[in-house]
Amino acid sequence: MANKMWGGRFSRNPDAIMEEINASIDFDQHLFRQDIAASKVHVAMLAKQGIIPAHDANRITHGLDTILSEIEQGKFKFERSLEDIHMNVENRLAELIGPVAGRLHTARSRNDQVATDFRLWVRESIDAVDAALASYQRALADRALEHADTLMPGFTHLQPAQPVTLGHHLLAYVEMAERDRGRFRDTRKRLNQSPLGAVALAGTAFPIDRGATSKGLGFDAPMANSIDAVSDRDFALEALSAAAITAVHLSRFAEEIVIWCSPLMGLITLSDRFTTGSSIMPQKRNPDAAELVRAKAGRIIGALQTLLVVMKGLPLAYQKDMQEDKEGTINAFSALMLCVAAMTGMVGDMTPNVDRMRAAASEGYSTATDLADWLVLTLNLPFREAHRMTGQIVAQAAAQKVALHELPLAALQTVEPRITADVFAVLSAENSVRSRASQGGTAPKLVRREATKWLKALAKQGA
Ligand code: ARG
């Protein structure tokens, strides 16, 4: 028997492989809420415009509500032979209310239907990610305030560079998350136009009201061009771009967590809640959650690549290739939500090893820049000259295997006789961070101010 929905000119069933390659129900069933919501708004508009009788519209609406609760309760049987969520719902509607179900698809095509459903789904996912990122920022800002004074080594090239505070380092991730949220917000603005009513590609002869369906679904306006409306997947590409950049940020932090909690670094510990043991090495405590956040960036970036490649060769308007937009996107967003939640959890869970961090902050001649700055400020030397002298002093310290502040004054004076004992005040890591009070710098008083500013702003957002 041919397909119930479109089989009029067909006399035989599709090949099993045809059915398998054609069906999208395995993943587009995630769109059931959006599909039913859009159908309800569409049918209400059809009745209001006098395109279908009001009592038919009522029966359709009730039928759709029944289907919604069937799916929510796990009682709905999705069928591959019905291809996708749209036809699974419509077929069930016909089972429930009979041939009047057939009126629902008046002045509509699966092309504008799927474009609408998927936009709604991406919009909801963006909102969910935004809320999750706000909680992540909140967790970071809480810990940043708590550790505004905690010294740690700041790295470049993963070499100790200059002492910073842990609070300052954590606030860097708050800024990154804020830009991520901004990208999602921008995406949402452009996304929020309604394709519904574009129908197959050319519009319709029925007197539909696209403004009404757009409004009913919370869109800002109907899309202007029916061909564009059914062929555009920019909203998914933009959302995936924002997701990919977010995933990269989370992955960078996850990588730092992995490095920091290696016993060789020993800067933080994670509790039993976010670590696992080894089945052979009893001493192990592995940061698996951080490693998996780092790894899941791969599939999120991959989903963006996949959709870009799917779209790049497509002529207007709808092509079945576009069905491949959903699986990767749905998978990417569920991975991203999991990653944000795991990072939020680890931020709250981590115990900084404050003593080890403080000691490490002073290792590797990390206050050499402070020494060079002192030579400039006190002896009025050009910075390059001061840099060269400091290099010679570091070389002496390295040769004697001592820290900068452990060198005798006489040793410093072999390089520059005018150096006085005052210099020792700037060689401590505490002094170094306290002095870096330029705008955006690591000084504890600035970190406290920034963390407090963030906590206030996030509390306003309900995070
Ligand atoms: N399952 C399809 C998709 O996700 C729905 C649209 C199908 N349209 C069509 N003309 N066959 O893209």
Side-chain angles (χ1 to χ4, degrees):
M1 188 195 60
N3 186 294
K4 286 177 246 178
M5 298 293 160
W6 45 250
R9 68 167 291 183
F10 291 74
S11 46
R12 290 178 57 196
N13 262 340
D15 191 274
I17 292 298
M18 176 63 209
E19 190 171 294
E20 190 171 340
I21 197 169
N22 199 35
S24 56
I25 189 61
D26 292 346
F27 44 89
D28 68 18
Q29 57 182 268
H30 286 278
L31 272 48
F32 73 94
R33 281 181 211 287
Q34 293 78 11
D35 192 72
I36 289 172
S39 284
K40 285 175 68 175
V41 166
H42 177 69
V43 82
M45 181 277 293
L46 292 177
K48 180 126 189 289
Q49 295 299 104
I51 298 169
I52 67 169
H55 59 269
D56 288 352
N58 278 340
R59 289 177 62 199
I60 291 171
T61 303
H62 282 133
L64 290 168
D65 285 336
T66 306
I67 294 170
L68 181 63
S69 61
E70 285 178 353
I71 300 178
E72 279 172 342
Q73 289 163 29
K75 289 187 195 148
F76 192 95
K77 218 173 132 293
F78 292 105
E79 272 178 52
R80 268 211 172 160
S81 62
L82 291 162
E83 284 185 39
D84 54 26
I85 184 65
H86 324 297
M87 297 205 296
N88 270 271
V89 169
E90 200 184 320
N91 181 68
R92 178 69 185 137
L93 189 64
E95 284 173 7
L96 288 171
I97 67 171
V100 72
R103 293 201 188 278
L104 170 60
H105 213 52
T106 314
R108 189 177 73 172
S109 153
R110 276 189 293 155
N111 297 349
D112 61 341
Q113 193 179 358
V114 73
T116 304
D117 293 0
F118 194 32
R119 266 176 200 260
L120 292 172
W121 188 92
V122 172
R123 189 176 74 185
E124 278 171 36
S125 300
I126 286 175
D127 292 346
V129 170
D130 184 68
L133 284 173
S135 306
Y136 169 60
Q137 287 179 305
R138 167 80 206 272
L140 285 164
D142 272 336
R143 298 309 303 265
L145 188 59
E146 180 189 343
H147 290 285
D149 294 277
T150 301
L151 294 171
M152 68 171 269
F155 300 96
T156 62
H157 312 267
L158 203 53
Q159 306 288 318
Q162 294 175 342
V164 295
T165 59
L166 175 57
H168 194 50
H169 194 103
L170 296 177
L171 288 178
Y173 286 104
V174 176
E175 297 290 335
M176 290 150 86
E178 186 64 11
R179 288 194 298 277
D180 294 331
R181 293 179 66 192
R183 273 181 282 273
F184 280 114
R185 266 197 300 278
D186 288 347
T187 301
R188 195 191 195 285
K189 266 183 233 149
R190 272 183 298 278
L191 167 152
N192 207 31
Q193 295 198 341
S194 173
L196 199 59
V199 198
L201 76 165
T204 178
F206 290 102
I208 58 172
D209 180 353
R210 292 192 61 207
T213 49
S214 163
K215 198 161 165 232
L217 293 169
F219 288 114
D220 297 326
M223 290 179 79
N225 181 301
S226 61
I227 297 175
D228 180 46
V230 290
S231 13
D232 169 46
R233 292 295 182 271
D234 290 1
F235 61 96
L237 289 171
E238 285 192 42
L240 287 172
S241 308
I245 297 173
T246 307
V248 166
H249 291 158
L250 298 176
S251 176
R252 292 181 73 175
F253 191 15
E255 166 72 355
E256 293 197 321
I257 290 176
V258 170
I259 294 172
W260 292 353
C261 72
S262 161
L264 298 181
M265 273 251 182
L267 298 184
I268 59 165
T269 38
L270 290 172
S271 80
D272 295 359
R273 292 172 60 225
F274 283 94
T275 49
T276 63
S278 156
S279 54
I280 172 171
M281 297 165 283
Q283 85 284 12
K284 292 287 290 264
R285 172 184 289 288
N286 297 326
D288 295 40
E291 294 166 75
L292 288 164
V293 169
R294 192 172 59 184
K296 282 183 193 294
R299 67 168 77 196
I300 298 169
I301 295 165
L304 171 62
Q305 300 289 1
T306 301
L307 188 54
L308 284 167
V309 174
V310 165
M311 296 304 294
K312 67 173 261 307
L314 299 188
L316 304 182
Y318 178 85
Q319 317 292 332
K320 195 59 173 265
D321 311 51
M322 288 158 74
Q323 176 166 285
E324 292 280 311
D325 57 2
K326 285 174 283 299
E327 191 171 7
T329 307
I330 290 168
N331 184 283
F333 271 90
S334 84
L336 184 62
M337 287 297 287
L338 194 53
C339 288
V340 178
M343 292 307 289
T344 307
M346 281 186 279
V347 168
D349 183 72
M350 64 169 71
T351 306
N353 185 344
V354 173
D355 294 337
R356 171 68 196 129
M357 279 196 166
R358 163 189 296 270
S362 311
E363 286 165 14
Y365 317 109
S366 64
T367 55
T369 316
D370 300 83
L371 172 54
D373 288 349
W374 185 89
L375 293 170
V376 170
L377 287 167
T378 316
L379 305 179
N380 197 26
L381 293 172
F383 182 75
R384 282 289 156 231
E385 179 72 1
H387 184 288
R388 188 183 53 76
M389 286 177 174
T390 306
Q392 290 171 350
I393 293 170
V394 167
Q396 288 202 27
Q400 297 181 28
K401 296 190 166 47
V402 295
L404 280 181
H405 69 270
E406 290 165 347
L407 276 176
L409 181 60
L412 302 176
Q413 287 171 336
T414 62
V415 176
E416 166 53 70
R418 290 176 295 164
I419 295 179
T420 64
D422 289 352
V423 74
F424 290 106
V426 305
L427 296 182
S428 76
E430 276 87 354
N431 186 80
S432 174
V433 297
R434 204 181 321 117
S435 72
R436 288 192 159 62
S438 56
Q439 191 180 5
T442 196
K445 67 170 191 216
L446 298 187
V447 172
R448 249 188 301 280
R449 193 191 302 158
E450 279 298 299
T452 308
K453 183 200 85 182
W454 275 114
L455 287 171
K456 268 198 198 126
L458 291 163
K460 259 195 206 146
Q461 298 167 27

